[in-house]
Amino acid sequence: MFVLVTGGSGSGKSAYAESRILEFGPGERIYLATMMCFDEESKKRVERHRKMREGKGFETAERFLDLKNWEPGSRKKEGQRAILLECMSNLAANEMFDPAGSGADTAEEIKKGIEGLLAKCDHLVVVTNEVFSDGISYEKETEAYLKALGEINCYMARRADQVVEVVYGIPVMHKPDRSGENRGDR
């Protein structure tokens, strides 16, 4: 199953995404972290997320660039493999602005990476941020980033079995899974 979780900053989307991974049952749980730490605020955010995951059986792997070539290695636990990618917004920024990234090809390269992840796991949950809802005009580079992230988000939404927006900690289902089950009412 592929679940896309979106929402604004501080909406509770990370906690919701983790709870979804736990619902898939026992097995290997990989937290694929994409945030590069440049300052104290980002270090605090990473630490807060690590504390949220404590005791939940996640193995953390960091991947800042080149998602399509990431390999999880051999399975370490019996059961299904579930990957939580946190967060697409960071990955897209890394790819677009890091000199080693894919630059103008960011959206296409990340789409290939998503397909690669889907082939390597039983369940994938991707966290992303809501974009374009503020109505503000930005500098050219930021506009290019938002356009790429928007394209990636639209692609993932079409590809995903479920799309959930978390608003003030409340999951709102926008696309139920193929079985018709609506998990947004929990």
Side-chain angles (χ1 to χ4, degrees):
M1 174 173 282
F2 178 15
V3 180
L4 177 62
V5 179
T6 188
S9 178
S11 65
K13 60 187 178 288
S14 296
Y16 177 79
E18 288 179 19
S19 73
R20 289 307 309 274
I21 289 286
L22 297 177
E23 289 176 5
F24 295 131
E28 186 176 18
R29 296 180 185 134
I30 301 171
Y31 184 97
L32 195 53
T34 64
M35 185 174 193
M36 292 183 192
C37 291
F38 295 109
D39 58 16
E40 283 305 310
E41 183 179 332
S42 58
K43 289 176 185 174
K44 287 178 183 176
R45 176 175 267 176
V46 167
E47 186 56 35
R48 183 173 58 85
H49 280 242
R50 284 186 178 143
K51 286 181 180 177
M52 283 174 51
R53 293 193 306 274
E54 278 182 8
K56 296 179 182 176
F58 281 97
E59 171 193 337
T60 300
E62 294 181 339
R63 191 66 174 195
F64 309 123
L65 297 166
D66 194 25
L67 185 61
K68 72 179 181 187
N69 289 314
W70 178 74
E71 291 295 331
S74 60
R75 291 188 185 251
K76 296 178 181 163
K77 293 183 179 179
E78 291 291 320
Q80 298 182 19
R81 174 181 281 162
I83 297 174
L84 170 56
L85 187 148
E86 171 91 28
C87 148
M88 182 55 67
S89 305
N90 290 327
L91 182 62
N94 298 343
E95 284 289 354
M96 184 159 278
F97 300 116
D98 190 285
S102 51
D105 297 325
T106 292
E108 289 306 314
E109 291 301 307
I110 288 178
K111 290 177 196 177
K112 291 174 189 173
I114 292 296
E115 291 302 322
L117 288 182
L118 288 166
K120 296 169 186 164
C121 67
D122 301 292
H123 305 288
L124 175 63
V125 177
V126 177
V127 176
T128 192
N129 284 309
E130 174 62 36
V131 294
F132 294 121
S133 61
D134 60 10
I136 298 173
S137 294
Y138 293 97
E139 299 282 332
K140 183 179 172 184
E141 288 179 330
T142 303
E143 288 287 344
Y145 162 74
L146 291 173
K147 182 179 179 198
L149 182 57
E151 181 181 333
I152 294 162
N153 286 349
C154 288
Y155 164 80
M156 289 191 300
R158 286 189 305 272
R159 183 72 171 80
D161 299 302
Q162 289 185 338
V163 178
V164 181
E165 179 183 13
V166 181
V167 182
Y168 305 119
I170 301 168
V172 178
M173 185 66 58
H174 288 286
K175 183 180 181 184
D177 69 22
R178 292 184 177 127
S179 70
E181 182 179 346
N182 185 338
R183 303 179 76 80
D185 58 356
R186 313 185 287 135

